[in-house]
Amino acid sequence: MPDSEHLGHRGTQSPESALPGRRMSELAEQVVRWTADCCGAGTTVSDGGTERPAAVTHPDLATLVSMQLLSGEGPIPAALEHGGPVESGDLLREERWPQYRAMALDAGVRSSVTLPFRRAGLTVTLSLYSFRAGGLEDAPHGPAQALGALAATGLVRDRSYRAALTEVDQLGAALRTRPVVDQACGIVMHVLGCDADAAFTVLRRVSQGSNRKLAEVAAAIVETRGRGLEQQLASLAH
């Protein structure tokens, strides 16, 4: 099969949703390599939102996967709904999904199986396709099952790692801006004769009302030492 291609999906793809792409492509390619009679594979990943990044091993399968995500018809939606493997041993005899059946047969696909993997709010689907009827009967119990489980766990780990990095960046930014915010609070306390909590509330109201970051508001107050802002600050203290 040709090299894997990434598949368009509902909604606008964000940088965050593009990150699992390499792992998903590798999963699809490995499954084809390790599963007898498998002519191609596709993967999708969803966290419950509208975006569902996907990867396939052949361009013909991109249309087949995309149709299922858009129409809600086919083994992928069925696997997402029921949480278990969905098999179609012979598409010539398949009656559940007419549109999927016609499109799959047109691409030369005779049988398919879709395996879902759910981990910590993330759902990965792995779909295998074969040119032969009954060619994927053992797939739910073979290497595809182990490879899919491993990939799903890896995606969850990747997401947790990215979330941790984001939190570290946010904490770093907070630590860098904390001194100027503290200085601004001190100035507001002096101008208004209020306590620290009330001073911070004033800063936050100025930030929200002017659509500026709290650190920017604090820096402006420190620069002017609060001069000329007495009336505005007093109006926001109530």
Side-chain angles (χ1 to χ4, degrees):
M1 282 291 170
D3 292 339
S4 63
E5 298 187 355
H6 294 297
L7 178 67
H9 52 278
R10 290 181 293 176
T12 301
Q13 185 170 355
S14 65
E16 180 70 13
S17 68
L19 289 172
R22 180 178 295 276
R23 192 181 290 275
M24 295 167 64
S25 294
E26 291 174 348
L27 169 60
E29 292 165 358
Q30 289 172 350
V31 164
V32 173
R33 203 157 42 235
W34 287 97
T35 305
D37 288 323
C38 181
C39 67
T43 62
T44 72
V45 59
S46 172
D47 59 3
T50 57
E51 294 184 346
R52 292 182 184 175
V56 295
T57 57
H58 191 280
D60 288 347
L61 298 179
T63 304
L64 192 59
V65 173
S66 180
M67 179 277 294
Q68 295 179 72
L69 297 180
L70 290 170
S71 69
E73 174 194 306
I76 294 176
L80 288 171
E81 180 179 357
H82 301 297
V86 177
E87 302 180 55
S88 184
D90 187 352
L91 284 165
L92 284 177
R93 302 173 182 274
E94 183 60 69
E95 298 180 352
R96 289 173 290 182
W97 316 292
Q99 187 178 357
Y100 169 78
R101 172 182 182 272
M103 190 172 290
L105 289 172
D106 188 57
V109 173
R110 186 68 183 273
S111 62
S112 69
V113 58
T114 296
L115 310 175
F117 304 89
R118 290 176 176 169
R119 302 285 189 281
L122 200 71
T123 301
V124 174
T125 67
L126 172 59
S127 298
L128 290 72
Y129 304 94
S130 176
F131 293 139
R132 189 170 69 85
L136 299 170
E137 291 180 354
D138 297 329
H141 312 289
Q145 179 70 31
L147 289 169
L150 183 63
T153 300
L155 285 168
V156 170
R157 186 175 61 244
D158 292 346
R159 185 177 63 172
S160 298
Y161 178 67
R162 293 194 302 272
L165 288 179
T166 300
E167 184 176 356
V168 168
D169 288 343
Q170 292 173 344
L171 287 173
L175 289 173
R176 288 191 297 272
T177 59
R178 179 63 184 270
V180 71
V181 172
D182 286 346
Q183 290 180 55
C185 280
I187 293 171
V188 174
M189 291 169 64
H190 175 73
V191 170
L192 300 181
C194 62
D195 60 21
D197 288 341
F200 184 78
T201 298
V202 169
L203 290 182
R204 189 173 57 190
R205 287 176 178 173
V206 173
S207 172
Q208 294 171 345
S210 61
N211 197 28
R212 290 186 296 167
K213 293 181 179 179
L214 184 66
E216 294 176 2
V217 171
I221 291 176
V222 170
E223 184 178 354
T224 63
R225 297 188 178 278
R227 288 191 292 269
L229 299 175
E230 293 86 349
Q231 186 174 354
Q232 180 185 3
L233 295 176
S235 68
L236 292 169
H238 303 290

